[in-house]
Amino acid sequence: MSRGTKRGIELEGALWFHKDEQKFLGLDRIALLKKIDEVGSITKAAKAVGISYKNAWDLVNMINNLAEKPLVERVTGGRGGGGTTLTAYGKEVVKQYGVLQEEHRRFLENLEGRLGDTASLYQLLRRISMKVSARNVLSGTITKITKGAVNAEVTLVLTGGAPLVAVITNGAVENLALKEGSSAYAIIKASSVMVGTDLHDAKISARNVMCGTVAKIVEGPVSTEVDVEVGGGNTISAVITHESGASLGLKVGSHACTLFKASSVILGVS
């Protein structure tokens, strides 16, 4: 961003890592990853970098969902009976970011002396810093598009190989220029995700059923947030009623399935 001072315009900028042209790692998230690697705990890392425990989990889930391989993993045993650590891939990403950050700093220092008015650059950086509010953002590759009279069924294969189906309008397919083999992002609101147990053989109308292990439960007086690791480094977050969470007997480490309608999936591209 550009910043006005008595000495003129100073140029600053944020460095982001991209995956399939979608930004998913920046300075704030790298700081969280570094602290997780240092202390071995998301709770302590969140406190150290000044964010809430809930926000830290959301960031970790988003990072793992968008990465080709998980950057963060939960471990059992060791200090305190378990914790959280960076994978070898996560450590390498943090290292690479440090190298690029130093080169980026030198570049901006050089550019600052060559630019006159940086107001337009400030506006550009403000526009590209927007974030998606939906909890679940999953990266995948389109493998099939079946068009009907009005809507189209789009199948994505997520990182790790799990299929995901979305139903969107034919107009949306054309506007997004979707085609088989191209990359896309599936966006699902946590409130649209249902949770159940032992649903492998159940007959249900929802097209998307992803089962795995409960990684986190945050209980509130009305709602309960449940995170389920479904494989391939992907985590699905759901917000269900407190009563539903209690009746299902969900616990961290227990088996659970997430399910959501194809019509609840929003697709996006870079």
Side-chain angles (χ1 to χ4, degrees):
M1 63 180 177
S2 57
R3 178 182 62 194
T5 68
K6 293 182 179 180
R7 299 171 62 182
I9 298 294
E10 294 181 0
L11 183 64
E12 298 177 357
L15 178 65
W16 286 85
F17 274 139
H18 289 65
K19 194 265 184 185
D20 293 336
E21 299 183 1
Q22 173 74 18
K23 66 178 185 177
F24 77 108
L25 271 183
L27 183 61
D28 56 342
R29 299 171 192 181
I30 288 291
L32 176 62
L33 293 178
K34 285 183 177 179
K35 190 56 65 173
I36 289 173
D37 191 40
E38 178 183 333
V39 302
S41 164
I42 286 187
T43 302
K44 294 180 181 178
K47 183 176 182 181
V49 300
I51 62 176
S52 70
Y53 170 78
K54 179 177 179 297
N55 285 343
W57 270 102
D58 290 343
L59 286 175
V60 166
N61 287 339
M62 177 180 289
I63 291 168
N64 278 348
N65 285 345
L66 293 178
E68 294 181 356
K69 295 184 291 186
L71 277 69
V72 180
E73 64 180 354
R74 299 166 183 86
V75 296
T76 58
R79 294 178 298 172
T84 309
T85 185
L86 297 189
T87 63
Y89 180 62
K91 292 177 184 291
E92 182 62 23
V93 168
V94 170
K95 179 181 178 181
Q96 291 175 347
Y97 184 92
V99 173
L100 293 176
Q101 185 179 29
E102 177 60 22
E103 292 301 317
H104 183 252
R105 182 189 63 80
R106 293 176 182 175
F107 166 76
L108 288 181
E109 287 179 351
N110 178 61
L111 185 61
E112 187 178 47
R114 297 173 57 189
L115 291 179
D117 183 8
T118 57
S120 60
L121 179 59
Y122 170 70
Q123 295 298 329
L124 172 62
L125 294 176
R126 286 287 300 273
R127 287 196 296 270
I128 66 175
S129 65
M130 293 185 296
K131 298 179 180 179
V132 176
S133 62
R135 188 71 51 82
N136 300 297
V137 183
L138 307 170
S139 176
T141 301
I142 297 175
T143 58
K144 185 178 181 181
I145 300 176
T146 303
K147 287 189 175 182
V150 177
N151 294 328
E153 181 179 280
V154 182
T155 302
L156 286 77
V157 171
L158 304 179
T159 302
L164 183 149
V165 179
V167 171
I168 61 177
T169 64
N170 291 330
V173 172
E174 295 176 0
N175 291 336
L176 295 173
L178 300 181
K179 59 182 180 180
E180 294 181 6
S182 63
S183 298
Y185 297 90
I187 304 169
I188 312 103
K189 295 176 63 176
S191 58
S192 298
V193 179
M194 295 171 281
V195 178
T197 57
D198 301 323
L199 296 179
H200 296 281
D201 298 323
K203 295 181 179 181
I204 53 178
S205 61
R207 292 295 305 277
N208 299 294
V209 179
M210 298 184 183
C211 300
T213 303
V214 176
K216 184 187 67 168
I217 299 175
V218 179
E219 296 184 354
V222 177
S223 300
T224 295
E225 179 182 328
V226 182
D227 287 357
V228 180
E229 291 182 339
V230 294
N234 296 312
T235 299
I236 304 293
S237 297
V239 174
I240 60 178
T241 65
H242 178 82
E243 183 178 350
S244 295
S247 63
L248 289 171
L250 299 175
K251 297 184 297 182
V252 172
S254 65
H255 177 80
C257 294
T258 62
L259 56 157
F260 48 93
K261 297 180 179 179
S263 58
S264 297
V265 180
I266 300 171
L267 294 184
V269 296
S270 299

